[in-house]
Amino acid sequence: MLRILTLLCVLSLSCESLGQDDYLRSIEIDLAKTDGEINRFYNFSVGAGRANEGMRADWRQQLAEVHRDAGFRYIRMHGLLTDDMAVYRIDDKGQDQFNFQYVDDLYDYILSIGMKPFVELSFMPNALASGEQTVFWWRGNVTPPHSYEKWGVLVKTLTQHFTNRYGAKEVESWYFEVWNEPNLEGFWQGSQADYFKLYEYAANAVKSVNPNYKVGGPATAGAAWITDTIEFCVANDVPLDFVSSHSYGVGQGFLDEYGTTGTVLANEERAITNDILKNREEITRSSMPALPLHYTEWSTSYTPADPIHDSYHSAAYILQKIKQVGDAAQSMSYWTFTDIFEEAGPRYEVFHGGFGLMNMQGIKKPSYFAFQFLNDLEKVSLQNEDEQSFASKSQRGDVHVLLWDYTYTLPIKTNNQQFYNRLQKPREKGNVQLNLDGLIKGRYQLQIAQVGFRKNDAYSEYIDMGSPNQLTRSQVETLKKTATGAPHTTRIIRIDKSGRFDLELPLRENDVYSVKLIRL
């Protein structure tokens, strides 16, 4: 009976027929109580696999689309200096040669669509490397330079080239991050002291071109080395404009590029969040308490073969973490925007648990809509005590409320690869009632969009198809049509002089709702 009344309530947009005792959750919003502007740290930056992948037409098409819908402003990627970008070599006369044609082509495109580079200075050109150890299918060299002086010259030459091509004012808005995860042996074959030397030469090289350029690090895994980095830079008078690190929501397992051993989503309410808060506290206690903190990688899992990335569960998880972090970080760069990503080599499966917000064919995953809905929030934040929602309004009186349920559903002793690769029907969570006060009298268009099981959920539809390794063009179009983010409810409502609007919605585990009231 309750579900029938709930359906009637949603269709009629009236909640008077149900008693208060039936409500599991209530969100009370007064439009007169504002809380400043929305902090859009969540779409400051987004990640991509490596620079050379950015030479592909489909990669660029997807980046333009996600920039349009999610509003990402910067993009960070590995491999800007690796040999497939043809940046550096030594000629037959033993002279250094620098070539930035590939970099120019990539950065010209990024800037042309209204984005900016978050420049990760990695990995080592083979001609400058001290060893042969590499990482990934595309063989990024992870050894220290055989000459730190030449490393500094490379970074200075590159930075000067950016200045000549794009102008100092433009490059002043960029960020230069030195290396990637040097606290992991797989990414850095030197010691911490070796990394600090690498950082010092790079930072001084960037600043020698323009002291206003922003440089930072250490881009570590697992929230590490923040205090050490600050102390080193202060003690040695080395430039440091921001600190950066990474965190993923995995509690067990190791990097598993093909999903053969398994990873486990952390069953901790504040996974990822605690890492960021820890770093913020370390910064506050340091001699540089105002340093910006950029989390330049984060996601549910650090494995590019983890089906949670494809699952509807990810959308609610993303929103939960962003809500928890609040003002503690200046950015959280989601890893990554696309499954056009070849750390483990080209993939043979359409949905393989890749990091991306879209798969290789441009089919949007539920995670995509988490960022699209966040980007749609209005400018003014509204006070809101609910821990799983954002409320906002525009100056003209439009209202946008984004609400969700995050529930941990992974069974004990089960890894992600055993659970999220199957259809997972959610349990009902009851109802959520949204109560808005202070609306301007008049006509509004109500728009309700949903993400969850079989709601903008291409992956479940793909499983229904039998999870084919390859898709026909017709199947691609079918899956794209199931995941557009478009409202499932659009209708005109009238707000009377009371300024009150009440809406009740049925809620399942890990559902996400975007509710908009647009003044007409």
Side-chain angles (χ1 to χ4, degrees):
M1 185 64 179
L2 176 60
R3 294 188 64 184
I4 295 174
L5 290 174
T6 299
L7 178 60
L8 290 172
C9 176
V10 171
L11 293 176
S12 67
L13 306 177
S14 170
C15 301
E16 296 177 356
S17 58
L18 294 178
Q20 186 65 34
D21 291 343
D22 295 317
Y23 303 138
L24 177 65
R25 177 175 160 199
S26 179
I27 302 174
E28 302 284 341
I29 303 295
D30 185 344
L31 273 67
K33 297 179 180 179
T34 60
D35 197 22
E37 288 192 11
I38 290 285
N39 181 356
R40 298 187 184 273
F41 72 98
Y42 45 78
N43 65 8
F44 185 88
S45 181
V46 72
R50 82 182 195 275
N52 191 263
E53 289 156 2
M55 309 301 287
R56 293 175 51 156
D58 50 356
W59 185 99
R60 294 184 177 192
Q61 181 180 9
Q62 289 192 20
L63 182 63
E65 192 168 5
V66 76
H67 168 64
R68 179 198 68 202
D69 290 344
F72 293 116
R73 289 163 277 166
Y74 289 79
I75 182 167
R76 172 189 178 269
M77 63 200 78
H78 303 325
L80 188 70
L81 306 179
T82 50
D83 282 6
D84 60 4
M85 292 300 286
V87 166
Y88 173 81
R89 71 173 184 173
I90 299 174
D91 67 16
D92 56 4
K93 297 179 181 179
Q95 300 299 309
D96 293 339
Q97 283 196 335
F98 302 99
N99 168 42
F100 304 121
Q101 294 180 83
Y102 282 16
V103 175
D104 291 346
D105 186 70
L106 174 61
Y107 277 22
D108 285 357
Y109 177 76
I110 290 169
L111 292 166
S112 76
I113 63 171
M115 296 185 71
K116 296 176 183 289
F118 201 113
V119 184
E120 178 194 306
L121 296 171
S122 77
F123 289 108
M124 197 61 62
N126 285 326
L128 188 53
S130 60
E132 298 180 354
Q133 292 90 343
T134 63
V135 67
F136 303 139
W137 170 78
W138 42 270
R139 296 188 177 278
N141 192 297
V142 295
T143 66
H146 62 72
S147 167
Y148 283 90
E149 287 75 17
K150 286 195 171 187
W151 163 255
V153 170
L154 170 60
V155 174
K156 181 177 180 178
T157 305
L158 177 65
T159 307
Q160 185 63 60
H161 174 78
F162 289 149
T163 305
N164 296 343
R165 187 173 184 85
Y166 303 113
K169 184 177 180 181
E170 172 61 36
V171 181
E172 283 179 11
S173 68
W174 299 4
Y175 294 78
F176 291 83
E177 184 183 40
V178 182
W179 214 252
N180 174 73
E181 300 189 351
N183 61 320
L184 299 184
E185 184 178 353
F187 289 107
W188 179 243
Q189 287 291 305
S191 64
Q192 184 189 71
D194 292 330
Y195 170 74
F196 286 153
K197 187 175 182 180
L198 185 88
Y199 177 85
E200 180 176 4
Y201 273 83
N204 285 331
V206 169
K207 292 291 189 177
S208 71
V209 177
N210 188 322
N212 294 325
Y213 291 172
K214 294 183 284 287
V215 63
T220 42
W225 290 13
I226 297 300
T227 298
D228 293 342
T229 299
I230 296 171
E231 290 178 350
F232 170 81
C233 290
V234 170
N236 295 279
D237 195 25
V238 176
L240 183 66
D241 297 306
F242 65 89
V243 288
S244 61
S245 194
H246 306 159
S247 186
Y248 289 87
V250 173
Q252 298 178 45
F254 299 94
L255 178 62
D256 181 16
E257 293 177 329
Y258 296 99
T260 55
T261 57
T263 41
V264 178
L265 185 70
N267 188 12
E268 299 172 14
E269 181 183 353
R270 301 185 76 79
I272 295 178
T273 307
N274 280 339
D275 280 345
I276 297 174
L277 296 178
K278 166 181 170 283
N279 287 159
R280 172 52 60 195
E281 184 179 353
E282 289 172 338
I283 295 166
T284 300
R285 293 199 311 262
S286 77
S287 57
M288 302 179 75
L291 273 178
L293 172 62
H294 292 279
Y295 256 67
T296 50
E297 289 183 28
W298 79 283
S299 175
T300 47
S301 170
Y302 45 58
T303 288
D306 194 327
I308 192 172
H309 292 133
D310 301 332
S311 169
Y312 70 87
H313 294 77
S314 278
Y317 186 95
I318 288 167
L319 296 172
Q320 185 80 347
K321 296 302 137 188
I322 288 170
K323 177 77 173 184
Q324 288 176 349
V325 169
D327 297 330
Q330 276 56 63
S331 72
M332 290 177 67
S333 185
Y334 188 80
W335 189 255
T336 61
F337 83 89
T338 179
D339 278 357
I340 301 171
F341 181 94
E342 296 178 340
E343 286 186 357
R347 303 310 293 249
Y348 288 82
E349 308 86 7
V350 174
F351 282 99
H352 54 269
F355 288 119
L357 301 173
M358 288 186 277
N359 80 340
M360 286 187 62
Q361 290 76 25
I363 299 167
K364 297 172 182 176
K365 304 181 187 181
S367 55
Y368 186 102
F369 302 109
F371 286 104
Q372 179 174 321
F373 292 169
L374 282 166
N375 189 47
D376 285 345
L377 288 172
E378 301 292 349
K379 184 175 182 180
V380 179
S381 177
L382 297 170
Q383 293 182 19
N384 176 18
E385 295 182 0
D386 184 74
E387 294 183 351
Q388 297 190 5
S389 62
F390 292 103
S392 63
K393 73 172 184 178
S394 69
Q395 294 294 338
R396 66 184 297 272
D398 299 335
V399 179
H400 184 190
V401 177
L402 179 55
L403 65 95
W404 63 92
D405 169 79
Y406 174 68
T407 301
Y408 186 89
T409 59
L410 185 67
I412 297 174
K413 296 184 179 179
T414 305
N415 65 42
N416 294 354
Q417 286 78 2
Q418 295 170 326
F419 183 74
Y420 296 107
N421 65 340
R422 296 178 279 117
L423 292 177
Q424 297 296 340
K425 186 177 180 180
R427 294 180 299 177
E428 303 289 338
K429 294 294 291 281
N431 307 293
V432 57
Q433 180 164 343
L434 175 62
N435 301 320
L436 301 177
D437 273 317
L439 288 159
I440 300 170
K441 179 182 177 181
R443 295 169 67 246
Y444 291 76
Q445 184 181 77
L446 171 67
Q447 297 179 357
I448 305 174
Q450 185 178 358
V451 176
F453 181 66
R454 299 204 182 281
K455 302 291 184 180
N456 284 295
D457 176 18
Y459 185 52
S460 291
E461 298 299 321
Y462 169 75
I463 293 173
D464 286 344
M465 291 179 175
S467 303
N469 284 347
Q470 308 295 317
L471 294 176
T472 66
R473 294 175 68 182
S474 175
Q475 287 173 321
V476 170
E477 290 307 310
T478 295
L479 291 173
K480 285 186 175 182
K481 288 177 181 178
T482 68
T484 67
H488 62 73
T489 295
T490 301
R491 60 176 296 177
I492 305 301
I493 63 170
R494 292 183 179 273
I495 302 298
D496 61 24
K497 63 182 181 181
S498 71
R500 176 87 176 180
F501 176 73
D502 300 331
L503 174 67
E504 184 176 338
L505 298 165
L507 194 66
R508 307 169 301 174
E509 291 175 329
N510 297 295
D511 267 343
V512 175
Y513 281 102
S514 167
V515 179
K516 296 182 181 179
L517 277 75
I518 302 171
R519 285 188 67 203
L520 300 176

